Amino acid sequence: MNLATSVHTHWDGPGVPSIDPGRGIPFGSSSVQHGTAVFEGIRCYATPEGPAIFRLDDHLERMLDSARLLGIRHAYDLPRLRRSTLRATADSGCADGYVRPGLFAADPVVSIGLTTVPFTLGVEVWPVTTPPPEPPAIPGVRLTVSPWRRPSPQSFPRRAKAVGTYVTSALAKTAAQAAGFDDALQLDCDTGRVAEATTANVFLVTGGRLSTPWLTDNLLAGITRDSVLTLARDLGLEVTEGPVEVAEVHAAQEVFLTGTAGELLPVASLDGRPFAAERPVFDAIATAFRATVTGRAGHPEWRTPVPRSEPEPAAGPATP
């Protein structure tokens, strides 16, 4: 995904006056100092009926769930989050864009206790400058197995999409790139089985059957992952979720990654061992995914049209 350098930023809620427009979030914010923020990455696509956000409510409900799991106090419910995200996207003027709403601590109060820290909604929208290539022209990525494993669910709730947890992903990806790879597979801390890539879920094709690691092995329940599972079943493919060993990845005919930012990416090799250049299952799913997000195929319930403008809602009381 190629993003433009221009970014549209929208603030909504308590704490906004403490933000210096020239500097952004204060350095003393708990979110900056300790990673205590939750966020979502969402895509907006140009469709024949105008811009539409892909699976908007699913993303926002996950962000509310993340905030609840971390004990974040905020003044937002799903309708207000939806209005603010749609307004920010509409104001950005992007037909194709990457939309990132987040709940963060705006005040410069250095504290790891969140019971008295109010959180504010911010939404940033990046224009997507270049559409991805169509299959089979999508280039493959080179993976390695990272020595840095996913955090244990006994240390952090696996369902929470929080800023601080991405330090582990950054560590794994930086080490992989330094070693000449594009990305890394991270293993479950307890079982040693495959969990996910640094910011994407993993799929395997073996004997025409599609499989992906189950949520038990400490991976984020990706919304693109869920979309691919549905689209694969629509195509009549056999789909399973279960434990995946590294050896199974090496033995697969096709391997690919899924995520909001990268969408669907085929894997060219794992630790230097190449996969076949022909990827018929990936190509079929990627074609169906592209047709769906751009409004040329089914599942209209996944696409939320972006209106020309949205009214600004009144701020509500903080809730635990």
Side-chain angles (χ1 to χ4, degrees):
M1 180 176 63
N2 294 316
L3 301 178
T5 55
S6 59
V7 180
H8 174 82
T9 304
H10 170 83
W11 312 116
D12 172 12
V16 172
S18 69
I19 299 175
D20 180 349
R23 299 183 62 187
I25 303 171
F27 182 66
S29 158
S30 174
S31 295
V32 175
Q33 294 288 330
H34 305 124
T36 56
V38 295
F39 72 99
E40 285 293 321
I42 316 174
R43 279 297 306 271
C44 177
Y45 293 93
T47 77
E49 289 75 35
I53 298 180
F54 187 65
R55 300 194 65 169
L56 174 62
D57 284 4
D58 293 315
H59 279 283
L60 297 179
E61 286 172 346
R62 186 171 66 179
M63 189 167 73
L64 287 170
D65 193 36
S66 296
R68 180 186 60 80
L69 288 168
L70 267 65
I72 285 175
R73 298 173 64 250
H74 61 87
Y76 304 93
D77 57 11
L78 179 61
R80 185 175 176 187
L81 289 177
R82 187 191 300 116
R83 288 193 298 266
S84 293
T85 304
L86 285 169
R87 176 172 180 169
T89 308
D91 290 349
S92 75
C94 297
D96 284 290
Y98 180 71
V99 183
R100 178 164 282 195
L103 293 170
F104 63 94
D107 296 322
V109 178
V110 181
S111 173
I112 59 172
L114 303 180
T115 56
T116 60
V117 179
F119 278 69
T120 293
L121 174 67
V123 185
E124 290 197 328
V125 184
W126 285 264
V128 176
T129 57
T130 305
E134 297 286 343
I138 303 174
V141 297
R142 298 162 300 160
L143 290 183
T144 183
V145 177
S146 177
W148 300 105
R149 296 192 175 188
R150 292 280 297 164
S152 169
Q154 296 178 338
S155 299
F156 196 86
R158 66 169 66 93
R159 291 184 302 164
K161 190 176 175 71
V163 170
T165 60
Y166 279 76
V167 173
T168 303
S169 298
L171 182 65
K173 183 154 189 171
T174 300
Q177 290 177 329
F181 299 95
D182 300 310
D183 202 356
L185 287 183
Q186 290 190 273
L187 308 182
D188 178 75
C189 183
D190 299 319
T191 67
R193 293 190 291 252
V194 176
E196 60 184 37
T198 57
T199 57
N201 293 119
V202 183
F203 281 85
L204 288 67
V205 179
T206 306
R209 177 176 57 85
L210 186 68
S211 62
T212 191
W214 58 358
L215 299 181
T216 301
D217 279 334
N218 196 28
L219 54 134
L220 187 70
I223 291 170
T224 307
R225 172 186 182 272
D226 180 73
S227 302
V228 165
L229 289 171
T230 299
L231 293 173
R233 293 185 180 105
D234 290 347
L235 291 170
L237 294 170
E238 181 185 350
V239 178
T240 61
E241 299 177 66
V244 174
E245 303 289 347
V246 173
E248 295 178 72
V249 182
H250 280 295
Q253 282 84 54
E254 302 178 45
V255 180
F256 62 93
L257 308 179
T258 65
T260 297
E263 300 180 301
L264 277 60
L265 294 173
V267 175
S269 63
L270 176 60
D271 284 321
R273 297 172 62 177
F275 296 103
E278 296 76 22
R279 351 179 244 255
V281 174
F282 170 80
D283 289 346
I285 296 174
T287 298
F289 180 83
R290 172 59 44 181
T292 300
V293 298
T294 56
R296 295 180 282 114
H299 294 287
E301 72 279 5
W302 286 348
R303 301 184 293 270
T304 301
V306 177
R308 291 184 179 274
S309 64
E310 281 286 322
E312 183 72 22
T319 57

